[in-house]
Amino acid sequence: MRSPPCARQQAVEGLQADRNLPVHLLNELVRILPDGMYLTAIRQQGLVVTINGVAQSNDRVSEFLKSLGNDSPWLTRPELVEIVASNVALTPRDQRRVSNFTLRVNLRRAPEAAAAASAAPASAPKQ
């Protein structure tokens, strides 16, 4: 009969399981980021990720939030923190209206992501 793992062994196993989370996070963001958006900052604190970016419109931000919540086994519970309209100067005479946004999303650990992926129905590929 095996004895339960000690606290040190559990800590090492936890670190091993979480070491690929940043890779999965970046892979998912690249995969689901809609056209007309770019990210300016990504900060991870534990399993909570704060994302800042710029979008052509509020609709793009809405599309991104839906994708974060529905199209990724690694990301869950997206939450819009703030969205602010501003202008970007393309040339001295040409300015565009954009939406600066901040949102939060939670990362799932590998076993949770595997369970979410197997429970999700197969979706049609993006066009």
Side-chain angles (χ1 to χ4, degrees), residues 41-108:
I42 302 170
R43 287 180 299 282
Q44 180 182 349
Q45 199 167 28
L47 293 176
V48 177
V49 179
T50 303
I51 301 169
N52 297 79
V54 179
Q56 288 178 338
S57 67
N58 289 350
D59 291 340
R60 304 282 177 152
V61 177
S62 177
E63 180 184 344
F64 186 47
L65 281 167
K66 287 178 189 173
S67 294
L68 287 170
N70 299 328
D71 297 342
S72 174
W74 291 97
L75 305 171
T76 183
R77 295 183 15 197
E79 169 190 3
L80 181 64
V81 175
E82 171 181 63
I83 190 162
V84 178
S86 66
N87 291 319
V88 172
L90 301 176
T91 66
R93 292 183 183 203
D94 188 14
Q95 291 195 358
R96 296 286 164 94
R97 194 90 167 143
V98 295
S99 299
N100 294 305
F101 65 90
T102 302
L103 59 89
R104 273 192 290 266
V105 67
N106 291 350
L107 273 170
R108 287 185 174 133

Side-chain angles (χ1 to χ4, degrees), residues 2-71:
R2 290 182 63 176
S3 63
C6 67
R8 183 176 180 181
Q9 183 178 353
Q10 287 177 333
V12 169
E13 288 172 358
L15 289 171
Q16 289 286 357
D18 290 348
R19 73 178 177 186
N20 290 327
L21 282 179
V23 174
H24 293 295
L25 169 65
L26 293 175
N27 186 48
E28 292 298 292
L29 291 176
V30 167
R31 187 177 64 79
I32 62 179
L33 188 70
D35 291 337
M37 293 184 76
Y38 66 90
L39 304 182
T40 57
I42 302 170
R43 287 180 299 282
Q44 180 182 349
Q45 199 167 28
L47 293 176
V48 177
V49 179
T50 303
I51 301 169
N52 297 79
V54 179
Q56 288 178 338
S57 67
N58 289 350
D59 291 340
R60 304 282 177 152
V61 177
S62 177
E63 180 184 344
F64 186 47
L65 281 167
K66 287 178 189 173
S67 294
L68 287 170
N70 299 328
D71 297 342

